[in-house]
Amino acid sequence: MTTKSVGRWFPGERMKLKGLLLRYYPPGIMLEYEESGQLKTKSIDLLDLRTSTDVNALVQEIQKAEPLITASRANQVKLLIQRLQNKLGQYSNHKFYLFKVLRAHILPLTNVALNKSGSCFITGSYDRTCKLWDTASGEELHTLEGHRNVVYAVAFNNPYGDKIATGSFDKTCKLWSVETGNCYHTFRGHTAEIVCLSFNPQSTLVATGSMDTTAKLWDIQNGEEVFTLTGHSAEIISLSFNTSGNRIITGSFDHTVTVWDADTGRKVYTLIGHCAEISSALFNWDCSLILTGSMDRTCMLWDATDGKCVATLTGHGDEILDSCFDYTGKLIATASADGTARVFSAATRKCITKLEGHVGEISKVARIIPVGYGAD
C-alpha cells in the first residue's frame, strides 16, 4: 500500500477530513480534506490489492500511514476496500467480439481515444477533422472542424472528459467542448507539425510536441502559452505527464528523452542510452520508473528519481513502436515492427509472454488494465 498526497502535510497543521471517494482504476481511495480553509485531495493507492488481501490488516496499515484516517473512519475504509475487492473478482472468462464498425471519415484515421468511462470516443483523420462518437449507439455526436491539415493527435482531458484537444499538421492545437463541439482556443506558436499532445491530470494545462524540436505548455483557461521546452535537436514524437502533474517527459528522434519540471519549464535531466529514435516515453503510476521504447529494438527502464538506467529489455527483432505499463507498474507491454507484442516483468526484467499472430507491424499497445476498470 502506498499513499500519495496532493500538497504537503506538516505536523501541527490542522486538517479535517470531508469525505472518502472510491477510485476503481487504479484501485485506491481519494481523500477530500480541508486545510487552512482550502479544500484539498490526496490519494491512498492500493495497487497491490488482491481479492485475498486481509482487509483488517490493510486498514490498520492505512491508519498508521495516514493521520486523516482515524478510528471512527476505519469501518468506512474497510467497506470501500471490500467493494474494490468485489470489483477485482469480476474479471474472469471475458469474451471479446466485434461490437461495431463505423465508417464516416472520408480519409484514413490517424488516432483514436476513449474518455475514462468509455461512453464516447474520438477519431482523428487525414480529412482534417476530429469526430466525437457515442460508443454504445455508434452515433456521431460532433464533427470538430477548423484545422487546415491532417488531425494527427487527439486526447480527452481524462478523468473529467469534458474537453478535447486536437493537434494538427497545420502547426496548431485546438481545444474543444465535448458538450457543444465548439472550439474554446486555438494554440498557435509551433513552426512545424504537432504530432503528440497530453493534458495534465489536473486539466489545467495541455502539452504539445512538434516536429520543430520543441514542446509547449498551454493554459487551457486563457489559451496562453505557459512555457516552451527547448533542448532537443530533433523532432519530439512522444510526451506525457506523470501522475502528479509536476513532471513532463518528452521523447525525441535525437535518441534522447528529457524530463522537465512542469511548474517552471526547466529541464530536470536527460536520459541518454538509446542508439536510435525514441518511439515512446512514459512514467509508471507511482512515478518511480520511466519506460522508453526505441527504434533500436529495445526498451529501457530508468529510475525516475535520478534518471539512471536500471534495465534494458531486449528480444524484439525489429523496431519497438510503442510500449506501456499496466496500472500497477509491474508489467510492461511492447509492440514491434517484427509483428509481435511482448509482456515483461518490471521486477525481473524478463519476458513473460510473447504474443504472435499479426501479419504486419504492431504500431500501438494499450495500457494493461483489468477489463471493466473505470466503468463506474
Side-chain angles (χ1 to χ4, degrees), residues 150-210:
V150 175
V151 174
Y152 193 78
V154 297
F156 282 98
N157 64 330
N158 290 331
Y160 306 98
D162 62 338
K163 295 180 179 65
I164 294 166
T166 55
S168 171
F169 284 5
D170 68 8
K171 309 173 190 177
T172 71
C173 173
K174 291 180 180 286
L175 185 71
W176 310 82
S177 165
V178 168
E179 182 179 1
T180 67
N182 293 334
C183 181
Y184 289 118
H185 302 294
T186 298
F187 304 120
R188 294 183 173 88
H190 283 294
T191 57
E193 297 91 335
I194 293 174
V195 294
C196 53
L197 55 80
S198 178
F199 285 96
N200 69 340
Q202 295 78 22
S203 192
T204 57
L205 299 171
V206 62
T208 53
S210 171

Side-chain angles (χ1 to χ4, degrees), residues 265-309:
R266 294 178 180 176
K267 182 188 300 185
V268 180
Y269 49 72
T270 298
L271 309 179
I272 301 174
H274 285 291
C275 55
E277 294 90 339
I278 303 297
S279 58
S280 60
L282 68 160
F283 292 89
N284 66 347
W285 175 262
D286 68 9
C287 308
S288 62
L289 293 173
I290 293 169
L291 174 67
T292 58
S294 170
M295 303 299 185
D296 66 9
R297 307 182 183 186
T298 73
C299 277
M300 299 183 79
L301 273 176
W302 312 78
D303 187 315
T305 304
D306 56 18
K308 300 288 181 62
C309 180

Side-chain angles (χ1 to χ4, degrees), residues 1-20 31-35 42-44 58-74 77:
M1 187 276 296
T2 57
T3 302
K4 181 181 302 184
S5 299
V6 179
R8 298 176 61 189
W9 175 79
F10 297 96
E13 290 190 1
R14 295 193 63 183
M15 299 190 295
K16 182 179 180 181
L17 185 63
K18 306 292 288 186
L20 297 171
L31 281 62
E32 290 187 338
Y33 65 99
E34 188 177 283
E35 181 182 16
K42 62 170 69 174
S43 65
I44 299 173
L58 180 55
V59 171
Q60 290 177 6
E61 184 182 347
I62 290 172
Q63 285 184 276
K64 291 178 182 178
E66 177 51 65
L68 283 171
I69 304 300
T70 59
S72 63
R73 293 281 189 169
V77 173

